[in-house]
Amino acid sequence: MKIEGKGAILATVAGIVALGLLAGRCAPSAPKGAKKGVAVSDVAQAAMKVYVAPGDLDEYYLFASGGHSGQMYVYGLPSGRHISTIPVFTPYPATGYGFDDESKKMLGDLTWGDTHHPALSETNGDYDGRWLFINDMNGRIARIDLRDFKTKQIIGPVPNVSGNHGSSFVTPGTEYSVMASRFSIPIPKGTAVEVAKYATDYKGVVTGIKVDPKTGEMSMGWQILMPPFDYDLGDAGKLVSNGWVFFTSYNTEKATGKLEVTSAQKDRDYIAAVDWKLAEQLAAKGEGQMIGGVKVIDPAKNPGLVYFMPCGKSPHGVDVSPDGKYVIGSGKLQGVTTAFNWEKVQTAIRNKDFAGDEDGIPVLKYESIKDAEVPVGLGPLHTQFGPDGYAYTSLFVDSAIAKWKLGTWEVVDKVPMSYSIGHLSAAEGDTVSPDGKWLVGLNKLSHGRHLTVGPSQPESSQLVDITEEKMKLVLDFFTEPEPHYAQIIKADKIKAIEVYSKEENHHPLAVWDVKDAGVTRNGNKVTVKIVEVRSTITPTDFEIKEGDEVTLAITNIEQTTDELHGLGLLDYNINIVVDPGETKTVTFKAKKKGVFPYYCTNFCSALHQEMQGYMIVR
Ligand code: K7E
Ligand code: CUA
């Protein structure tokens, strides 16, 4: 525990006395909050704000990236309760993800992903509750359908993009989800060139992945060739800046080796402003050179496509204000963040007010496009917004959040974060109409603010009440590594289904009657149609031959929500879970002779334990 000085001790004493008075008796042992020097009445107020009574529902969903776990984690706010894990890039035995034919195929050869930035789909710049996109460093983007909270598509690894960090940010109409190379490489992939030729032979690429407005299906949109910088974060313009997407870049020195030294030579790096509507037009005209199977557009040959906005050195986040008028970005070792004025950017472009170029891409003049340098504090990383013109910037070095006003550029409040905040997320904070109310600090270190679990500690997330002028820290909750970024959506925007209805199940191997269950053979190909319903797996046994190629098609014919059944097949590494009304298949070779029990893995009824059978391989 930290010793917080005399003032804190006095406050503690005052708190204990206050509680004693409230309780109408002598002071009992100090409540937990009081130990840390917080007045008791504040603790009680905070508790009331975040308390969601048994049976009551949270007001918001928080979708947090699971970092290199490859998953998404779903929390309720304000309670901070973990509700669900959505497997995306990594097999997850709890839901059988990565074990059935379909999800196995979707994952391909990769059994891990490193997720950073979830992006909720938007209509007119507002979250519409339809889909959730999430990037993977291995050049992929996944789409989760929020109708059933399941991963429906993984696109990639996309050619030419390397280290897809600046992703999966969406444009205001979800026309595109974007990607950017954090690690420039020689392209196409598979070309080996020594690092000494980095500045000339390595390339960055930014990509727009097209999203079908009806189905959400993702496909290749356009790719743009970029100088070999490290493209880090992105954000799409909105309203007045709609049509543009911004990416921060560091190592504009094009250096190699120890980047912490070599990439910090220049005072400024850049934010790349990309005209995605122009990219779309150019791609439609077939512009570009075929590289790695994709047409890559060269901005040096297509004026107007990309501009560089100089920014404090080694920037991290870039964030566009809800009205689209300001682009916020800063060096991550600076004490200020810069607000760039989009109108000034456009004027500078019109007047060709350039300071030079980088590989043929015009560089704008910092002084011509900035409105203010806001003295937020040390180590600004990311900025979120409220409904009232306030901005909130996370400060890694200061381990705090700064609240400041757009337009007047005054810093009005700060709240410490425990410890070392990375991203932060405001309720509906990336939309044209943020909600205010809540802000979550996604901290990198927890330093024992929880029961000890040994050397590997969870990340700590902290809920901040932003309804009043002064921010108030009201709750600590913990997450697995590592929620780089998260988004918060109003719960009533999500219309999830309760079951897969029988009418909607068009799976060719689905069976809804136990009479239709059983084995069909075609040469050495065997299909076993299985029905699961409380409390029998039909068939209760079946026989096949060694060497057969077996497909189990399992249908859960329940139409009651939460009535899941599983199928664990011992010694064959098979683990399927089927939701009510769902059919899944798993295909394998019967390599081992003998008798292999299978059983339901999800506790479904009083006679769940009886839900079992035998596969006999002769
Ligand atoms: Cu951890 Cu957006 Cu990958 Cu910032 S990122 S902190
Ligand atoms: Cu079905 Cu347990």
Side-chain angles (χ1 to χ4, degrees):
M1 197 182 102
K2 271 186 15 182
I3 306 295
E4 290 167 87
K6 240 186 206 168
I9 293 165
L10 284 177
T12 305
V13 172
I16 295 167
V17 170
L19 185 80
L21 289 175
L22 276 176
R25 56 190 164 85
C26 289
S29 60
K32 284 205 174 98
K35 268 205 300 201
K36 303 227 162 167
V38 180
V40 169
S41 58
D42 280 358
V43 172
Q45 270 180 21
M48 277 167 64
K49 280 189 172 143
V50 302
Y51 183 64
V52 176
D56 283 355
L57 302 180
D58 277 297
E59 197 186 349
Y60 289 93
Y61 285 96
L62 174 97
F63 291 101
S65 97
H68 47 287
S69 78
Q71 321 290 41
M72 291 288 311
Y73 298 115
V74 186
Y75 298 84
L77 287 183
S79 73
R81 297 186 292 204
H82 174 235
I83 304 170
S84 181
T85 295
I86 307 171
V88 185
F89 294 111
T90 309
Y92 189 55
T95 63
Y97 185 79
F99 289 82
D100 65 295
D101 293 336
E102 210 182 341
S103 59
K104 226 193 276 178
K105 190 173 157 215
M106 207 158 51
L107 289 172
D109 294 335
L110 292 162
T111 53
W112 79 292
D114 186 359
T115 66
H116 286 239
H117 308 111
L120 287 155
S121 57
E122 297 180 13
T123 299
N124 298 322
D126 232 331
Y127 301 150
D128 57 24
R130 297 203 289 166
W131 308 302
L132 178 65
F133 298 88
I134 180 72
N135 74 310
D136 166 28
M137 287 290 286
N138 297 288
R140 297 181 293 174
I141 296 179
R143 186 186 80 254
I144 294 157
D145 195 332
L146 293 175
R147 215 174 139 256
D148 59 1
F149 285 58
K150 300 251 169 77
T151 304
K152 291 296 158 69
Q153 189 193 0
I154 294 175
I155 190 169
V158 165
N160 304 325
V161 174
S162 169
N164 178 39
H165 187 261
S167 183
S168 62
F169 315 100
V170 297
T171 53
T174 321
E175 295 91 345
Y176 292 94
S177 173
V178 298
M179 306 177 98
S181 295
R182 186 170 139 210
F183 315 118
S184 290
I185 54 164
I187 56 171
K189 274 184 194 168
T191 316
V193 179
E194 58 273 31
V195 169
K197 292 187 181 159
Y198 182 86
T200 51
D201 289 27
Y202 286 48
K203 296 290 171 202
V205 167
V206 299
T207 301
I209 293 294
K210 180 114 198 75
V211 179
D212 184 284
K214 286 225 173 65
T215 62
E217 190 74 13
M218 298 179 285
S219 57
M220 175 55 68
W222 40 261
Q223 283 201 329
I224 301 173
L225 194 69
M226 299 290 281
F229 307 156
D230 293 52
Y231 299 89
D232 203 13
L233 267 290
D235 197 14
K238 39 176 99 89
L239 297 173
V240 294
S241 50
N242 187 19
W244 292 78
V245 59
F246 304 93
F247 296 96
T248 48
S249 62
Y250 60 95
N251 190 23
T252 58
E253 290 83 353
K254 305 179 187 171
T256 57
K258 284 191 185 184
L259 288 193
E260 64 170 316
V261 181
T262 57
S263 78
Q265 308 297 314
K266 298 201 298 188
D267 277 347
R268 300 213 179 279
D269 288 304
Y270 303 120
I271 295 169
V274 176
D275 184 341
W276 64 259
K277 291 199 170 165
L278 180 55
E280 186 173 58
Q281 287 165 21
L282 292 168
K285 278 197 282 182
E287 179 63 41
Q289 183 196 348
M290 194 61 93
I291 305 174
V294 180
K295 280 234 165 145
V296 185
I297 307 169
D298 185 351
K301 293 183 190 146
N302 292 279
L305 186 58
V306 183
Y307 296 93
F308 284 124
M309 301 160 56
C311 166
K313 78 169 146 195
S314 309
H316 191 47
V318 55
D319 296 283
V320 179
S321 61
D323 56 12
K325 287 183 183 165
Y326 300 105
V327 179
I328 316 297
S330 51
K332 56 184 174 273
L333 296 175
Q334 282 187 300
V336 298
T337 194
T338 304
F340 297 94
N341 184 323
W342 180 243
E343 211 179 292
K344 289 185 179 175
V345 173
Q346 284 175 302
T347 306
I349 290 173
R350 257 198 316 274
N351 297 341
K352 297 201 170 14
D353 186 8
F354 303 144
D357 76 286
E358 290 278 3
D359 296 0
I361 299 168
V363 177
L364 302 166
K365 285 189 189 136
Y366 178 75
E367 289 301 331
S368 305
I369 58 173
K370 76 130 207 263
D371 245 16
E373 288 179 344
V374 186
V376 285
L378 267 187
L381 292 185
H382 301 283
T383 298
Q384 287 274 287
F385 304 93
D388 41 13
Y390 283 104
Y392 302 85
T393 299
S394 61
L395 306 168
F396 180 82
V397 179
D398 275 353
S399 188
I401 296 171
K403 174 182 178 178
W404 53 279
K405 184 102 187 169
L406 290 160
T408 70
W409 319 119
E410 276 172 285
V411 177
V412 295
D413 192 25
K414 269 190 198 180
V415 63
M417 285 284 107
S418 306
Y419 300 90
S420 303
I421 183 172
H423 273 273
L424 74 182
S425 178
E428 305 248 329
D430 283 311
T431 70
V432 293
S433 58
D435 275 16
K437 284 193 169 182
W438 301 113
L439 185 64
V440 174
L442 300 155
N443 306 318
K444 298 300 184 193
L445 303 169
S446 55
H447 281 327
R449 285 175 74 94
H450 47 76
L451 295 175
T452 180
V453 287
S456 174
Q457 302 193 1
E459 318 296 322
S460 86
S461 293
Q462 292 185 300
L463 183 69
V464 178
D465 174 3
I466 53 167
T467 52
E468 285 164 39
E469 194 175 335
K470 287 208 73 71
M471 296 179 280
K472 278 199 194 99
L473 172 64
V474 291
L475 183 73
D476 279 14
F477 60 104
F478 300 93
T479 54
E480 287 177 60
E482 171 177 353
H484 292 271
Y485 188 42
Q487 284 190 322
I488 304 171
I489 180 173
K490 200 91 199 304
D492 60 15
K493 283 190 176 175
I494 289 179
K495 311 270 184 257
I497 56 168
E498 304 264 291
V499 297
Y500 296 100
S501 73
K502 185 178 173 183
E503 296 69 41
E504 268 188 75
N505 181 328
H506 301 301
H507 198 290
L509 296 177
V511 274
W512 288 83
D513 193 318
V514 291
K515 289 203 307 282
D516 303 323
V519 177
T520 34
R521 175 176 289 277
N522 184 358
N524 68 340
K525 288 207 160 101
V526 175
T527 304
V528 189
K529 291 180 182 165
I530 296 171
V531 169
E532 293 201 295
V533 67
R534 279 164 286 175
S535 298
T536 302
I537 304 177
T538 309
T540 53
D541 67 273
F542 62 90
E543 283 202 26
I544 53 171
K545 288 188 223 142
E546 189 186 5
D548 280 346
E549 193 188 305
V550 188
T551 298
L552 306 181
I554 306 141
T555 304
N556 174 352
I557 66 168
E558 305 273 358
Q559 291 285 279
T560 309
T561 195
D562 213 10
E563 277 301 340
L564 276 62
H565 298 290
L567 190 122
L569 176 58
L570 299 180
D571 300 325
Y572 266 88
N573 195 38
I574 283 168
N575 161 46
I576 301 296
V577 177
V578 271
D579 291 0
E582 193 177 34
T583 301
K584 279 182 182 171
T585 63
V586 57
T587 303
F588 61 96
K589 196 148 193 149
K591 283 187 186 154
K592 284 176 269 191
K593 272 196 213 173
V595 174
F596 303 93
Y598 51 85
Y599 67 102
C600 174
T601 48
N602 291 53
F603 204 106
C604 50
S605 69
L607 296 174
H608 152 80
Q609 212 67 353
E610 279 71 7
M611 236 177 134
Q612 63 180 60
Y614 292 101
M615 175 174 84
I616 295 152
V617 185
R618 285 193 189 272

